Amino acid sequence: MNLLLIGISAALINNVVLSQFLGLCPFLGVSKKIETAAGMGGALTFVLTLSSLVTSAIYKFILTPLNMEYLQTIVFILVIAALVQFVEMFLKKCMVSLYNSLGLYLPLITTNCAVLGIALINVQKSYGILEGTVNGFSTAVGFTIAIVIMAGLREKMEYNDVPKAFQGFPIVLLTAGLMAIAFFGFSGLK
């Protein structure tokens, strides 16, 4: 039951993009087409889930027993960078079209504050390895939900008559703000 609560909380109530405002760069940059947004969501899901698992294990079995908790940020960044490189090589070899459509935003997963933020939140909330992995996976699912919804809305907005002052990025930011307000409605589920 606790894992289910962590999952729902991470995906909907404390959505990493719309509640915590982490990971906005890929959210705003890759959400132009649904296919690209779903691909970014899939790549982030893999990286975030695996990084949560690995960083939780490293923290529990290496850093804590050696009293080296102060190195957590550096170690977590190195783990995340290695995982992103693995994902980038895999996509370049197996899914070339997705690799090309993600472009610059794929290496940006390395610097995506959501990935490092969730690893640090897992430590801060004293989550075990399983709880931290569920939190990472659910956070990535919440990110994917938000970015795919934004991509769908942006595709629809292309055909709408938007006032000149709001065309382009201003309407995207306005839409993101309205989505954040809508997701705030999930806070009653706590």
Side-chain angles (χ1 to χ4, degrees):
M1 186 65 171
N2 188 34
L3 294 177
L4 181 64
L5 291 175
I6 290 172
I8 291 172
S9 175
L12 298 176
I13 299 168
N14 296 318
N15 186 286
V16 71
V17 175
L18 301 173
S19 295
Q20 299 176 10
F21 306 112
L22 297 173
L24 288 175
C25 181
F27 175 72
L28 296 173
V30 183
S31 61
K32 293 178 183 167
K33 300 286 178 202
I34 291 177
E35 296 82 22
T36 310
M40 175 58 92
L44 189 74
T45 300
F46 177 78
V47 169
L48 198 50
T49 303
L50 204 56
S51 70
S52 294
L53 173 74
V54 173
T55 56
S56 294
I58 288 173
Y59 186 80
K60 181 176 182 178
F61 295 119
I62 297 173
L63 296 179
T64 302
L66 296 175
N67 292 323
M68 298 174 71
E69 293 91 350
Y70 58 91
L71 291 175
Q72 71 185 9
T73 304
I74 294 170
V75 171
F76 292 176
I77 289 171
L78 292 173
V79 167
I80 292 164
L83 289 171
V84 170
Q85 287 300 311
F86 174 72
V87 169
E88 189 172 4
M89 289 185 311
F90 174 78
L91 290 178
K92 190 174 186 178
K93 180 84 171 164
C94 300
M95 300 177 171
V96 179
S97 62
L98 179 59
Y99 174 80
N100 291 332
S101 66
L102 289 175
L104 173 68
Y105 292 99
L106 186 59
L108 282 178
I109 294 176
T110 303
T111 58
N112 187 341
C113 56
V115 181
L116 178 61
I118 296 306
L120 295 173
I121 286 171
N122 288 341
V123 170
Q124 181 184 18
K125 290 188 175 183
S126 301
Y127 284 159
I129 295 172
L130 181 61
E131 294 168 326
T133 305
V134 168
N135 186 43
F137 175 76
S138 301
T139 298
V141 168
F143 177 87
T144 304
I145 290 169
I147 196 171
V148 168
I149 289 172
M150 175 60 96
L153 291 172
R154 285 181 78 172
E155 284 184 2
K156 295 287 185 188
M157 283 189 284
E158 287 181 20
Y159 304 108
N160 290 344
D161 188 25
V162 178
K164 187 164 179 70
F166 289 106
Q167 289 178 357
F169 207 61
I171 193 70
V172 173
L173 291 175
L174 186 62
T175 304
L178 292 172
M179 284 177 61
I181 292 170
F183 268 71
F184 185 70
F186 290 122
S187 65
L189 295 175
K190 285 185 179 180

